[in-house]
Amino acid sequence: NAGVTQTPKFQVLKTGQSMTLQCAQDMNHNSMYWYRQDPGMGLRLIYYSASEGTTDKGEVPDGYNVSRLKKQNFLLGLESAAPSQTSVYFCASSVQSRAEQYFGPGTRLTVT
Amino acid sequence: DAKTTQPTSMDCAEGRAANLPCNHSTISGNEYVYWYRQIHSQGPQYIIHGLKNNETNEMASLIITEDRKSSTLILPHATLRDTAVYYCIVRSTHRDDKIIFGKGTRLHILP
């Protein structure tokens, strides 16, 4: 099992550009999550999906959108990137929304 | 979810047991204690969780006090690879609660 994979690993965007971060899991987990982590801080939840086809906002959803069309994939979109979105983004999955979460390796995003 | 309090940082000699404390004095009856760790530049890794009984797995042991107001994560024989930030989280599994990560404890394993 690859577990949770994220693409790309690194990305540099200019202010105003858009992009999609991709997350895939091969553990047949029902729930998936997107977090961001800023230097010296803990993780903050952006959006989560309790099951395929459903999504909910987390602590810091502004400026992002998500899509969970397939059970194994959870996409995070930045519609118009801003320097404040420079961060490391982690995707996670769990067998159900109340279980322990398994994390991907992260995507390091810089917005200039 | 109940809040947790952890020391900012700790040191432990390689080969010794690392004991990481966590205070969760406002924990409620249906909330579990979870531990995760994050090795530098990697995604967080689930370690262990428990409700009221002590738990052990291949990575660590979790000791929860009888009143459940605090707990200790024990890494029995710490290695340099255990240097990481350790997060203690309390979370209900009766609701779709999100994990709230605090700042955790930065554990340094000294050679």
Side-chain angles (χ1 to χ4, degrees):
Chain A
N1 282 356
V4 179
T5 56
Q6 294 183 234
T7 53
K9 287 187 168 48
F10 300 92
Q11 182 71 49
V12 179
L13 290 178
K14 289 187 163 59
T15 298
Q17 287 184 315
S18 63
M19 79 159 297
T20 300
L21 306 186
Q22 306 202 15
C23 176
Q25 51 93 6
D26 62 1
M27 298 175 282
N28 200 34
H29 284 175
N30 289 305
S31 301
M32 296 186 74
Y33 312 81
W34 275 107
Y35 293 87
R36 62 177 286 174
Q37 186 172 36
D38 300 314
M41 308 253 317
L43 282 80
R44 292 184 292 168
L45 182 67
I46 305 171
Y47 271 94
Y48 70 103
S49 168
S51 60
E52 179 184 348
T54 70
T55 61
D56 281 289
K57 294 179 180 179
E59 299 172 73
V60 289
D62 293 343
Y64 304 95
N65 57 71
V66 289
S67 170
R68 181 98 185 272
L69 297 179
K70 293 183 179 180
K71 187 176 185 178
Q72 64 267 35
N73 299 122
F74 195 28
L75 307 180
L76 178 71
L78 285 73
E79 296 165 338
S80 178
S84 60
Q85 293 177 305
T86 293
S87 191
V88 181
Y89 291 84
F90 290 102
C91 177
S93 71
S94 61
V95 63
Q96 58 171 355
S97 60
R98 304 162 193 174
E100 61 271 19
Q101 296 180 13
Y102 295 87
F103 286 78
T107 294
R108 281 145 187 83
L109 176 68
T110 301
V111 183
T112 61
Chain B
D1 286 345
K3 283 193 168 184
T4 62
T5 305
Q6 298 177 254
T8 302
S9 67
M10 293 181 63
D11 292 338
C12 178
E14 189 177 17
R16 305 295 293 268
N19 295 278
L20 292 92
C22 180
N23 183 289
H24 32 79
S25 58
T26 59
I27 194 170
S28 60
N30 63 2
E31 288 182 319
Y32 284 69
V33 180
Y34 281 78
W35 284 84
Y36 288 78
R37 73 179 182 183
Q38 187 173 23
I39 296 169
H40 181 62
S41 297
Q42 297 182 22
Q45 177 187 24
Y46 164 77
I47 302 172
I48 198 167
H49 74 282
L51 183 63
K52 51 185 176 183
N53 296 324
N54 297 337
E55 302 287 344
T56 295
N57 63 20
E58 65 278 4
M59 289 183 68
S61 294
L62 174 60
I63 309 297
I64 302 174
T65 58
E66 194 168 340
D67 65 7
R68 303 210 322 123
K69 293 185 177 182
S70 66
S71 60
T72 301
L73 178 75
I74 302 173
L75 307 177
H77 304 287
T79 71
L80 297 177
R81 287 176 296 180
D82 292 320
T83 293
V85 177
Y86 287 77
Y87 297 98
C88 169
I89 296 156
V90 292
R91 183 170 181 235
S92 170
T93 59
H94 289 193
R95 295 175 289 145
D96 287 337
D97 284 339
K98 305 129 188 148
I99 292 181
I100 306 295
F101 284 83
K103 296 198 175 172
T105 295
R106 187 170 295 276
L107 176 67
H108 300 277
I109 305 301
L110 307 174

